[in-house]
Amino acid sequence: MATPSSSSSSSSSSIWVFSNIKLQFFGRIRRFLQSKATRKRCCESSDQFDKETIIVEHNKNKVENIETVQVIKKKHEEEEEEYEIVLQRSVKKLHFGSWEEKEVAAKEIEKLAKEEDVRVRKMITELGVVPVLVSMVASEVASRRRAGLTALIHLADGTYTNKALIVEAGILSKLPKTIGLLDESTISAFAELILSLSSLANTQFHFPSLDFLPLLRDILESGSSFDTKRSCLCALYNISTVLENANLLVSSGVVPILLELSAMKEISEKALATLGNLLVTMMGKKEIESSSVVPESFIKILSWEDRPKCQELSVYILMILAHQSSSQREKMAQAGIVPVLLEVVLLGSSLAQKRAMKLLQWFKDERQVKMGPHSGPQSPRFAMGSPVNQRDAKEGKKLMKSLVKQSLHRNMEIITQRANATEETSKLKSLVISTSSKSLPY
């Protein structure tokens, strides 16, 4: 049984610990305000310099100018004082207040972070607000979760340090796995925060986990807006730039989703770029090749004249699929890729043209190999100069010319029909019609 003396000592010990925490907290606030005061003195000296310059340059109106500077200076001091009071009150509530007070404080911190520069955002995080805001994001209360989420988004804006602190505070493990009953604005906020944090992948920062992948997949499969899905796709693209993450992305099941979204013009670009990053790994290439929509979906994208970047990415993916894969090249040929590539060579961007020409060369080389000498039964050979050989040769040449002419006319019709959409391609159409085949370079 505890004696009164032991109970008293335990109580005094807990009071001492709480007092120590409060002392540390107010010490942080004091240092922050001292830093603000130093910056204020710099502003005052700058204002004084400006005031003296004004007096020299405008000697006739010096009294009015001095009064104007003093009014501006006073207003600036009042704003600084008000800012310090709001920040001090908000941080105190966030650490020691009730949940309702924490929610109000998070909204005030969001407002301050939105209005101030990166340096001030870093100062705010130095006051230890990030862990509390992260715990609010994991809350089941919608308003509380929303307040913490938006505050973190603005604190992370433009600063590597704050993003790293948010990840280290365990935000990735506290994100929901599915969007469930979340409203569209909250879903959009989650996508925005993940996009902001995913930019760390382009630095030396190592993500402890990719626990947010199920949430991204759920958002991409939902009926969310294109802007929200675009944020998720950009986040996946950032993660896919790190080669070590490719297999984890593939195993999480994002490839079928990316293939589906790549067919939507509004968000196709980032989906194609992410597929291009995954395709350089064996696991990614195997997963993409096994899809029933490949290569037809990429060939269709080649006809998007109003999306040149998508054309470039699509032909790049087709090049990787076709490289050292006769089965893929055969699939592409059967899907009618050659006329589409010819169109890209004539009407595409410079990069798309180069890639399309390279791919066409592979099909040309493969056709020449197939048409070369082969083993097995051979047709009878006739002596050169014989009447039968000359007659067969003439008929063969005549038939070949007819086939080439028909193919050329057909391709030109397809190209000129699609070229009617813009003035530039209309000029190309008139040029093709008015030019004889003899004047073409090839």
Side-chain angles (χ1 to χ4, degrees):
M1 180 175 178
T3 63
S5 60
S6 65
S7 172
S8 175
S9 63
S10 174
S11 176
S12 61
S13 175
S14 62
I15 292 172
W16 183 87
V17 170
F18 183 72
S19 300
N20 188 40
I21 292 172
K22 293 191 76 172
L23 282 172
Q24 290 178 355
F25 165 72
F26 287 114
R28 283 184 176 181
I29 290 287
R30 194 178 299 110
R31 287 194 297 273
F32 175 75
L33 295 179
Q34 286 172 353
S35 172
K36 295 285 289 181
T38 303
R39 189 173 67 168
K40 187 194 295 183
R41 285 196 295 272
C42 292
C43 291
E44 288 175 358
S45 62
S46 176
D47 288 342
Q48 182 65 28
F49 175 77
D50 292 341
K51 182 170 68 178
E52 292 173 0
T53 304
I54 291 169
I55 294 170
V56 173
E57 292 180 352
H58 306 280
N59 201 23
K60 293 180 181 180
N61 302 318
K62 65 180 182 180
V63 175
E64 293 179 5
N65 289 334
I66 290 172
E67 289 176 354
T68 302
V69 170
Q70 287 176 343
V71 169
I72 294 172
K73 180 181 174 183
K74 186 177 180 181
K75 185 178 180 181
H76 178 70
E77 288 176 350
E78 289 175 354
E79 289 176 352
E80 286 284 325
E81 187 177 353
E82 183 182 356
Y83 171 83
E84 290 168 3
I85 292 171
V86 171
L87 179 60
Q88 186 175 2
R89 183 181 65 239
S90 300
V91 176
K92 183 180 177 181
K93 285 181 180 178
L94 201 62
H95 280 286
F96 306 110
S98 63
W99 279 114
E100 289 73 17
E101 290 175 327
K102 290 179 190 290
E103 189 175 324
V104 174
K107 292 178 180 177
E108 289 176 346
I109 287 175
E110 174 198 344
K111 185 179 178 181
L112 293 173
K114 189 189 299 184
E115 293 174 352
E116 296 295 328
D117 57 16
V118 172
R119 183 171 173 271
V120 174
R121 292 187 203 118
K122 288 182 178 179
M123 287 182 178
I124 294 173
T125 57
E126 287 172 4
L127 297 174
V129 301
V130 169
V132 184
L133 293 172
V134 168
S135 66
M136 292 176 68
V137 172
S139 172
E140 296 295 327
V141 180
S143 59
R144 191 180 304 161
R145 179 176 55 227
R146 175 74 178 174
L149 193 55
T150 50
L152 287 175
I153 289 171
H154 291 292
L155 285 175
D157 185 24
T159 159
Y160 166 87
T161 304
N162 285 6
K163 291 175 184 177
L165 286 172
I166 292 170
V167 173
E168 289 170 358
I171 186 67
L172 300 182
S173 61
K174 290 181 170 60
L175 294 174
K177 303 303 179 188
T178 62
I179 55 177
L181 301 176
L182 298 177
D183 59 275
E184 179 61 30
S185 62
T186 305
I187 295 170
S188 178
F190 272 119
E192 188 177 352
L193 179 62
I194 294 173
L195 171 58
S196 179
L197 299 179
S198 70
S199 63
L200 291 172
N202 299 319
T203 67
Q204 297 299 318
F205 184 84
H206 176 69
F207 278 94
S209 68
L210 297 180
D211 292 336
F212 54 86
L213 289 181
L215 176 60
L216 287 183
R217 191 176 63 238
D218 202 31
I219 295 173
L220 291 172
E221 290 179 321
S222 71
S224 299
S225 66
F226 282 134
D227 288 337
T228 302
K229 289 187 177 182
R230 190 178 293 108
S231 296
C232 295
L233 289 172
C234 290
L236 285 177
Y237 172 76
N238 288 337
I239 299 300
S240 70
T241 57
V242 180
L243 193 62
E244 291 78 9
N245 295 331
N247 288 346
L248 188 57
L249 286 169
V250 174
S251 61
S252 69
V254 300
V255 169
I257 300 171
L258 291 172
L259 288 170
E260 182 181 351
L261 296 178
S262 66
M264 302 179 184
K265 283 189 178 183
E266 295 83 358
I267 52 176
S268 177
E269 186 176 323
K270 282 301 177 183
L272 289 169
T274 307
L275 286 169
N277 287 340
L278 299 179
L279 200 56
V280 299
T281 64
M282 288 296 294
M283 188 174 178
K285 187 176 182 182
K286 185 177 179 181
E287 182 73 14
I288 294 170
E289 283 179 339
S290 63
S291 174
S292 59
V293 300
V294 175
E296 287 81 3
S297 61
F298 298 125
I299 295 173
K300 183 179 179 182
I301 294 170
L302 292 181
S303 63
W304 293 356
E305 293 91 350
D306 56 334
R307 294 288 192 277
K309 189 66 178 177
C310 292
Q311 284 183 320
E312 294 168 3
L313 292 168
S314 183
V315 73
Y316 168 75
I317 292 172
L318 288 167
M319 285 179 68
I320 298 178
L321 290 172
H323 183 62
Q324 295 182 346
S325 176
S326 57
S327 61
Q328 283 298 318
R329 289 196 294 271
E330 188 175 350
K331 278 185 181 180
M332 293 176 192
Q334 291 175 354
I337 192 174
V338 173
V340 183
L341 287 174
L342 285 169
E343 184 179 348
V344 175
V345 169
L346 287 173
L347 303 176
S349 64
S350 57
L351 180 57
Q353 286 176 351
K354 290 177 183 178
R355 289 173 174 173
M357 287 177 68
K358 182 67 175 176
L359 197 50
L360 274 174
Q361 186 64 41
W362 292 351
F363 284 102
K364 179 183 175 184
D365 295 341
E366 193 163 71
R367 175 185 275 183
Q368 287 176 349
V369 169
K370 287 181 179 179
M371 292 175 65
H374 57 85
S375 59
Q378 302 286 327
S379 57
R381 295 174 179 266
F382 297 95
M384 288 295 291
S386 65
V388 177
N389 189 63
Q390 288 178 1
R391 186 170 61 253
D392 289 347
K394 286 180 181 179
E395 290 179 358
K397 286 180 180 180
K398 193 174 181 181
L399 180 61
M400 183 61 70
K401 284 182 180 180
S402 175
L403 290 172
V404 170
K405 192 173 181 180
Q406 290 176 12
S407 177
L408 179 62
H409 280 303
R410 179 58 185 156
N411 288 337
M412 287 302 178
E413 285 176 7
I414 294 172
I415 292 169
T416 52
Q417 282 172 5
R418 292 187 178 178
N420 280 333
T422 61
E423 292 179 6
E424 183 179 353
T425 52
S426 294
K427 292 178 182 179
L428 178 62
K429 177 184 176 182
S430 61
L431 178 64
V432 171
I433 294 172
S434 62
T435 307
S436 66
S437 60
K438 292 181 181 179
S439 65
L440 294 173
Y442 53 85

